[in-house]
Amino acid sequence: MTPHRNVSTEVSDFLLNCFVRSPSWQLWLSLPLSLLLLLAMGANATLLVTIRLEESLHQPMYYLLSLLSLLDMVLCLTVIPKVLAIFWFDLKAISFFACFLQMYIMNCFLAMESCTFMVMAYDRYVAVCHPLRYPSIITDQFVAKAAIFILARNALLTVSVPILSARLHYCGRNVIENCICANMSVSRLSCDDVTVNRLLQFAGGWTLLGSDLVLIFASYTLILRAVLRLKAEGAVAKALSTCGSHFILILFFNTILLVFVLTHVAKKKVSPDVPILLNVLHHVIPAALNPIVYGVRTQEIKQGIQRLLKKGW
């Protein structure tokens, strides 16, 4: 491509070059990825329908779970179909606008998901530590305000990343060594200095996800301290069971993210394709497992699904 002054005329599209060093991965990854996508869409849709139709589930905790399911579905549909199109049909091209839109949605919705986990941790803290005050604190109005906060905070604080990347001067190279339009994978194609982009990505990620993780940890520390003080028979098991599903989901979300960060830091010791693989999986594995964990471990949801299935038959 011939460089021009105008960014939009320099690069009309990018090429997503997946697993350059391990091309065989595309073949054996396509089937599990497609199955995980179908599982994530089906399980989350079932959960949303169940919560919508079952009046017994019209409670703040399940509204937050519905929000989490919606975020998971958007993340899956933003990333996985394009990855599968590359694997199956070699459709590597992605337009300039679509690339930065994908970048924004990934950054924004991952931050929204982390923030939702933080609000859910506060919900569990109130349920365990202040059970008598729970109905007056965790109300439908609280959930509405929390949803507005989740949407506004992350939509506004993540928009600068794709905007700065889109304003860089791309002088001909358009092959992204990634399956998705990750910020640094795209911006390193630029001829400009990307130090600001790196700092913004680092600061934004640790400020949003890091602050959420600290608050989640604080909530569970207070929950654990309160649980250990319970002396009534079976009270400890009951209190922990109310937090079990949520804690498992947080582990799924943060474990994959932590492994991705560690492999990215130690990229000289592992194949560069490994962080790319983990980044792709992080957009589908939690989405597939979240509704299953809640469906299996939450009696009310399990019973609601069973009633819906009986009505369907």
Side-chain angles (χ1 to χ4, degrees):
M1 294 183 182
T2 304
H4 297 279
R5 293 183 180 179
N6 192 308
V7 169
S8 62
T9 58
E10 287 177 4
V11 175
S12 60
D13 59 14
F14 294 104
L15 295 178
L16 293 167
N17 206 11
C18 284
F19 304 129
V20 179
R21 296 160 189 83
S22 310
S24 61
W25 288 15
Q26 295 191 22
L27 179 62
W28 65 263
L29 269 177
S30 60
L31 179 59
L33 268 184
S34 58
L35 292 176
L36 282 171
L37 176 62
L38 291 174
L39 178 61
M41 292 298 104
N44 281 290
T46 301
L47 187 62
L48 287 170
V49 171
T50 302
I51 293 174
R52 173 67 180 86
L53 297 180
E54 285 294 316
E55 292 187 7
S56 61
L57 299 180
H58 293 177
Q59 301 176 28
M61 182 179 73
Y62 300 113
Y63 293 148
L64 291 172
L65 187 57
S66 297
L67 176 60
L68 185 64
S69 288
L70 287 171
L71 296 176
D72 280 337
M73 292 176 76
V74 172
L75 276 171
C76 269
L77 292 174
T78 301
V79 173
I80 305 304
K82 180 60 181 177
V83 174
L84 290 175
I86 296 171
F87 288 176
W88 290 339
F89 309 111
D90 202 33
L91 298 177
K92 298 181 179 181
I94 184 171
S95 70
F96 186 85
F97 174 78
C99 186
F100 291 104
L101 178 62
Q102 186 192 63
M103 184 189 299
Y104 174 65
I105 292 175
M106 288 189 299
N107 286 326
C108 179
F109 278 69
L110 280 175
M112 285 185 187
E113 191 162 335
S114 173
C115 195
T116 304
F117 281 130
M118 183 264 292
V119 175
M120 294 172 75
Y122 176 72
D123 170 86
R124 294 299 85 198
Y125 160 74
V126 176
V128 173
C129 299
H130 304 283
L132 297 178
R133 297 177 57 196
Y134 181 84
S136 61
I137 296 175
I138 308 299
T139 62
D140 291 350
Q141 290 76 15
F142 168 83
V143 174
K145 291 177 182 178
I148 293 171
F149 170 74
I150 291 168
L151 295 171
R153 186 198 79 161
N154 299 293
L156 293 174
L157 295 182
T158 58
V159 71
S160 57
V161 171
I163 288 178
L164 281 179
S165 293
R167 289 173 62 86
L168 291 172
H169 183 76
Y170 294 92
C171 52
R173 293 190 301 155
N174 71 333
V175 179
I176 302 171
E177 302 295 337
N178 206 330
C179 297
I180 58 179
C181 288
N183 176 38
M184 294 316 303
S185 297
V186 177
S187 58
R188 68 166 57 102
L189 299 178
S190 168
C191 303
D192 297 337
D193 183 12
V194 296
T195 304
V196 175
N197 294 67
R198 289 180 181 273
L199 291 175
L200 185 64
Q201 182 80 26
F202 179 82
W206 284 108
T207 300
L208 296 176
L209 302 184
S211 62
D212 292 339
L213 192 58
V214 168
L215 292 171
I216 290 170
F217 179 78
S219 296
Y220 274 95
T221 301
L222 294 172
I223 289 171
L224 184 61
R225 189 177 69 172
V227 165
L228 293 177
R229 291 177 180 176
L230 297 175
K231 297 180 180 180
E233 185 178 352
V236 173
K238 184 178 179 181
L240 290 177
S241 67
T242 64
C243 304
S245 300
H246 180 241
F247 189 70
I248 291 171
L249 301 191
I250 293 172
L251 284 179
F252 283 148
F253 181 81
N254 288 290
T255 300
I256 297 179
L257 190 62
L258 179 62
V259 174
F260 166 68
V261 171
L262 291 177
T263 53
H264 192 74
V265 171
K267 55 186 175 183
K268 291 183 180 179
K269 298 181 180 180
V270 298
S271 169
D273 287 336
V274 173
I276 295 173
L277 172 63
L278 291 172
N279 204 356
V280 172
L281 293 178
H282 187 242
H283 289 84
V284 66
I285 289 181
L289 295 181
N290 288 351
I292 294 175
V293 169
Y294 259 98
V296 170
R297 292 182 55 87
T298 307
Q299 193 66 24
E300 293 83 355
I301 293 178
K302 190 188 301 184
Q303 292 173 351
I305 293 174
Q306 289 172 351
R307 283 193 291 268
L308 286 179
L309 289 175
K310 288 179 181 178
K311 291 178 181 177
W313 286 109

